[in-house]
Amino acid sequence: MFYLSVAVKLTIGFICLLLYLNISGRTQLAPMSATDQIGNYVLGAIIGGIIYNPGVSVLQFIAVISMWSLLMILTRIIKTRNLDAKGIIDGKPVLLVDHEKILTDNFRLVNLSVPDFLLKLRQNSVHNLAELELVWIEPNGQLTIQKKGETPISLALIEDGNINRFNLDKAFRDEDWLMAELGKQGIQDLSEVFCAEWYSNVLTVYRYNPQVEEKENDGAEQAK
């Protein structure tokens, strides 16, 4: 009876895990953020701890894993729709090198030691601090690096209808300028914008697909 209960719980855990990945839109459990990391730890603890606990029924197991999955999906939706909330939950990128100047206070802010920083640089094929133009650490701990003489990195100024103020500051632009540029392209509301990329002093705006389809339909009608 014990092994039957374990087999049933294991099967349910596997099915719930697949459903969670499909519903949340994730294709793998590899963490992209601190929230994902915590979610994986807790999910593993729930499945591993309850499977071998005969005091927890199958229905209780389903209830617990469902509640945690719903909480993770809700958190993911909130992060996608609100960059400020995402910054609070996952943290924000932190600039470490700004136009060749090393920002030592920011190293303390993210608890990054010099040996760890140099190791991360070597992993990105950078072997000399003098090569650096811009460096910032992402919320997941990875470095984004721009070397001297390289073409500036593209910056997403708008993501999912939300202004990315960190990137806007790096582009030396403000919100008034951004809204004026959107107005020139016939966009009055941020909710119309899927992504706006700043690259080589050019702002390229990508709208949500329904609006693209409407434009295509309008063009087809005019052609007729």
Side-chain angles (χ1 to χ4, degrees), residues 2 5-7 9-11 13 45-54 61:
F2 171 76
S5 175
V6 169
K9 290 179 182 178
L10 188 60
T11 302
I46 290 173
I47 295 176
I50 293 180
I51 281 177
Y52 299 105
N53 187 345
F61 175 51

Side-chain angles (χ1 to χ4, degrees), residues 35-206:
T35 309
D36 292 337
Q37 187 78 46
I38 294 171
N40 290 350
Y41 286 150
V42 175
L43 196 58
I46 290 173
I47 295 176
I50 293 180
I51 281 177
Y52 299 105
N53 187 345
V56 179
S57 68
V58 172
L59 290 178
Q60 290 172 326
F61 175 51
I62 294 174
V64 171
I65 198 170
S66 297
M67 285 189 290
W68 181 252
S69 297
L70 287 173
L71 178 61
M72 292 303 299
I73 291 170
L74 179 61
T75 302
R76 194 174 183 84
I77 292 172
I78 292 173
K79 291 194 303 179
T80 301
R81 297 187 177 180
N82 191 307
L83 284 183
D84 291 331
K86 178 179 174 61
I88 294 172
I89 296 171
D90 286 336
K92 299 179 180 179
V94 176
L95 201 59
L96 300 177
V97 179
D98 186 12
H99 296 89
E100 306 179 37
K101 181 182 178 181
I102 297 178
L103 307 177
T104 55
D105 288 343
N106 286 355
F107 277 78
R108 298 190 187 97
L109 181 65
V110 296
N111 293 318
L112 182 63
S113 66
V114 173
D116 288 342
F117 179 58
L118 295 177
L119 174 61
K120 287 178 178 290
L121 290 179
R122 289 194 294 271
Q123 290 173 339
N124 285 276
S125 301
V126 177
H127 304 284
N128 189 342
L129 291 175
E131 299 178 46
L132 302 174
E133 177 71 20
L134 286 171
V135 180
W136 61 89
I137 186 167
E138 304 289 355
N140 63 359
Q142 299 298 314
L143 295 183
T144 297
I145 299 170
Q146 179 185 324
K147 297 181 183 179
K148 292 179 183 177
E150 288 185 341
T151 303
I153 298 170
S154 65
L155 300 171
L157 304 187
I158 299 177
E159 302 169 351
D160 296 307
N162 294 281
I163 296 175
N164 188 318
R165 289 178 173 79
F166 179 81
N167 286 345
L168 193 62
D169 289 340
K170 290 208 297 289
F172 301 104
R173 298 294 187 273
D174 58 28
E175 190 171 335
D176 291 336
W177 169 86
L178 181 58
M179 295 306 298
E181 289 297 312
L182 293 178
K184 292 177 183 177
Q185 301 190 35
I187 299 172
Q188 303 301 324
D189 197 306
L190 289 172
S191 62
E192 301 177 38
V193 182
F194 172 69
C195 177
E197 182 185 49
W198 177 251
Y199 182 70
S200 295
N201 292 324
V202 175
L203 182 68
T204 305
V205 179
Y206 301 91

